[in-house]
Every structure is written in structure tokens, then in C-alpha cells.
Amino acid sequence: MSNCNSCPSKNKCSTKDTGCNIINNPNNKIKNIIGVMSGKGGVGKSTVTSLLAKKLNSMGYTVGILDADITGPSIPRLMGVKDAKAFSNGKGIVPICNPQNIKVMSINLMVASESEPIVWKGPIVSNAVKQFYTDVLWGELDYLLIDMPPGTGDVALTVMQNIPINGIVMVSIPQDLVSMIVSKAVKMANMLNIDVLGVVENMSYIQCPDCDKKIKLFDGDETEKFLSDMNLSLLGELPMTKEIVNITHHGVTEISDELDSTLESIVNKIK
Amino acid sequence: MSNCNSCPSKNKCSTKDTGCNIINNPNNKIKNIIGVMSGKGGVGKSTVTSLLAKKLNSMGYTVGILDADITGPSIPRLMGVKDAKAFSNGKGIVPICNPQNIKVMSINLMVASESEPIVWKGPIVSNAVKQFYTDVLWGELDYLLIDMPPGTGDVALTVMQNIPINGIVMVSIPQDLVSMIVSKAVKMANMLNIDVLGVVENMSYIQCPDCDKKIKLFDGDETEKFLSDMNLSLLGELPMTKEIVNITHHGVTEISDELDSTLESIVNKIK
């Protein structure tokens, strides 16, 4: 039971002590763990993770981001810490704090050059993700957000089985092909009894900077059907604006009032 | 040496018979195998694979597509065969032919429902990809295109080590963060002595359907620097037009003259 004392799922967990795969670090006190997932790549999981972290932080919560995308990590650039290097202090791995004091751990904080490829087999990748939970000195956090990689393979399974996540935010875009693949991720979470908190629809539209016209790029938007088939609610919609797209280039710095109000509405539904 | 007789890399291979991990199917005669990779998800690998297949097919070549994205397969929808089911005839797995006679193999042609998740550990996913090469009755093909999943993990390693690919087309978008992750994939290919044929830049710009203005969404386009750092050539640029984006919805059917001429130029550089 000692392992349960530092578990964010203490008193909310249906697993008896036997059969629990989770190793909690007694040095950490994490209140809530939220996974950001999609199943599909390139829909904006890392961008949504970074924006939610920034918003929670500005509301006064202490926040960490665990970048579980080992072979395609985006978080260090998005959080403005791409040149930092994490180190171990003997007790564990010390995460990097970004200028807003958001704690970050990513494989790209541990390699000599950020473009160095991680050519590892599945079990080794999964072990790295487990260590990012178990061996990192997160300290006290109100929220730990986990940026998950595409797919429903090894890493997704490891996060769902070895980290006591309280819920998942699914990120999708209004494209039928993507909804199909996101459905796979939702069904996987259901199989593993993980709560899906709702869906953030990214790239809902593009606004032409010249004529202000809102461009709906995708035909056959069946978002409502997808949400009702999967029994999920829409947490919010993010347009494909220069502000959001270029977060990947400039990092999350200032946020416009419009985006801030969308984020506030999303955060209020999941916190 | 019998294994070499049906190998697309016969006479072009530096590996001696010892140490070769590749199992060729003597029933198949495949002349060229090209991987389509990125490292990053959601940049258009599957779309580029489908467009190249369609173009090669219209030029009179026999073409197959091996969908190596086991946990996020897009090819059946893009090739208009999403409801087909592949079967085994006792000698091997029979691929699905689309209306243009392009042969397709994907995990989504083998599951009861296309939204059923594949929750498999890495080695099982890799075995499925190996089988798609070894056990599928591709027959005679001028080109087998392999649509690779995001990342540099298990599947990418399996494709590079267990399938005799002749070269890789890298797909990128003009965003620094993406170039960084694509660099990882290029370096992985270099490590494994696989020829990178060049880069297709997708989402180069968006054209406003209202005012025709070309919108460059991404700041900090360092494509030229990326190409020169990686010593790669640009095979072609694809804009983010409704025609291309909605291939995922309608499948690859008719192709406009403008897109056709871009594809012709790309194909002429890689064939």
C-alpha cells in the first residue's frame, strides 16, 4: 500500500494492490495526470498540450509536461527549452523548468543534438517513458500533462498501464480519415478503462490573412457524427491561425485574448 | 543465393549472403521498392504515397502499396478500398486491387471494422510488416511503395532491415519543428545505408478559394537550409489545396493538370 500513498489515483482507483503495474516515486506529489492523445500524427497533440500547460500555469497551477513521444519529440521547442540539457542529481532526473516555471521532460533534453534519431526497439522506448514518470523529480504538481505519440502501440499501452492517468484529452481534426484513426485511440482507452475527457478539434478552419474569409479546408466534416458515435463531448475548437501554427516556431509566448478564452473554456471542462 | 534471385536489390546489394535478414517470396517479382517516410506524423506521407502510386500507374507501371502504418493505416481509404477484405488462398495473402489495378495491403483490410484499434507490442507490429512483404502475393510489380508510420522506432527499423528498399522519399512541411524531426529520419536512413532519393515538401502554401491569395502559414521557413544541411534535393512542392486535402475523403480519383505535372516531375526524379 505504500506505493499508493504517492499515487495520483489514490482513492479513485479500482485496482487492488495486486496487479497494479504502477511504480510511484515517493519524492513526487502529483495531483492530476492528463494524457493528450490522438492516435493520428500531426493533428496538434503537442501544440494542444503546450497551450493547456500554459493556460493552467497562468491560472496559478503548478504544471509539468512529460513528452512521451520518444522518436518525434516536439515539446522542448514548443516550451522554449530546446537547448537545455537535463541531468541526474543522484536522487533522480531533474526536469527542465521553462521561463514560466513549467517543468519539462523529453528525450530531446538528453541527446547531444536535437536532430539525433532515437532508433530503439519498442520495449526500450517504453522503458524510457516509464522512467520519465518513475525517475524524474517532478516534485509537487497540480497537473502533469503527457504528450503521447501517434498510434496505439507500445508507448500508448505503457502510458495507460504504467502511469496512473486520470483522463485523456483526444485531439482530432475535421477530416473523416482522421476521425477513423482517432476512434481507434478512443476504443483503446475504453478497453483499458481510461476516462476520455472529450475532444479538442484542431484546424477547424483557416482564416485568410488577406480577405479574412474563413476557409473550411476539409469536405465531409462528420465531427458531430464522430462525437455521437464515440459518446464524447467537444471540449473546444482551435482554428489554424498563424498564431497557433507558429507556436512551433516561436514557442508558446504571448497568447491572444481570443485564443485565451477558448483555452479557458477547455481547461474549465477538464480540470 | 536462391533468396537473392527474387530480390529487388539483386546485383545492387553490398551485403553478402551471410548477414542478410531479408526473406524474399519466390512467387513475387518486384523490380523497385521505395519507402515513403517522414519521421513526423500528419505531414502527408500516405497522401504522397497514393499520388505517386496513381501517377506511376497512369504511366503504365504496375504498382503496389504496402501500408506499414499498422496502428494508423490510411491507405485503404485513400485508394478507395476501405470496405474490402483481404484473404489467404493457401499460398499467401492476396492483396486487394483498387479500380486502377493498384495492389494494396494494409492491416485495415484484415480487421472486422476499420476503427478497431491494433493494440500490439512492437515486435508483433514489426512481424505484421515483415509478413506484408514476405507472405503477400504481390506477383510482378514495377514499383512497390511502402507507406511508413511516424517515428524511427520498431517499424522503420524493420522496413529498413527486412525489406530490400532501393530508396526513400522523405515528406516534410515548411515548419522548423518538422524539419528537425525529419532530420532524425534522414540520419536513421544514413545510419542504415539506405539511399534518400529527396524530399517532397507538402503544405508549401494554402490558396484562399475566395481571393486566390497564396497563404504561407508557417514562419521561419528554413527548407533550403534543411536541404543543404542534410545534403538532399527537393523533389517537388505540393500546396495545401482542397483537391489534395480531400483525397482523404474522396480517395485519389481525378487529378488536375497542375497536380499531374508536379507529380510527373517528382516521379521522373525517382523512377
Side-chain angles (χ1 to χ4, degrees), chain B residues 37-59:
Chain B
M37 191 183 183
S38 167
K40 186 79 182 72
V43 297
K45 284 179 293 297
S46 304
T47 301
V48 168
T49 306
S50 301
L51 288 171
L52 293 179
K54 170 95 175 167
K55 182 64 198 170
L56 283 163
N57 172 266
S58 74
M59 291 164 88

Side-chain angles (χ1 to χ4, degrees), chain A residues 115 118 152 154 175 187 248-249, chain B residues 115 122 152 175-176 187 248:
Chain A
S115 65
I118 302 292
T152 54
D154 267 323
Q175 197 178 24
K187 288 183 179 179
T248 59
H249 185 55
Chain B
S115 65
T152 53
Q175 197 176 24
D176 293 357
K187 288 184 180 178
T248 59

Side-chain angles (χ1 to χ4, degrees), chain B residues 115-175:
Chain B
S115 65
E116 194 176 298
I118 302 292
V119 185
W120 291 348
K121 289 280 187 185
I124 320 250
V125 173
S126 293
N127 272 340
V129 171
K130 277 187 222 171
Q131 278 191 283
F132 282 180
Y133 178 66
T134 310
D135 297 352
V136 169
L137 300 170
W138 292 107
E140 294 200 14
L141 289 182
D142 293 311
Y143 289 94
L144 177 64
L145 305 182
I146 303 188
D147 184 25
M148 290 169 70
T152 53
D154 266 324
V155 171
L157 202 53
T158 299
V159 170
M160 290 189 189
Q161 289 183 325
N162 296 90
I163 301 181
I165 45 178
N166 306 106
I168 287 178
V169 170
M170 286 288 170
V171 182
S172 193
I173 64 174
Q175 197 176 24

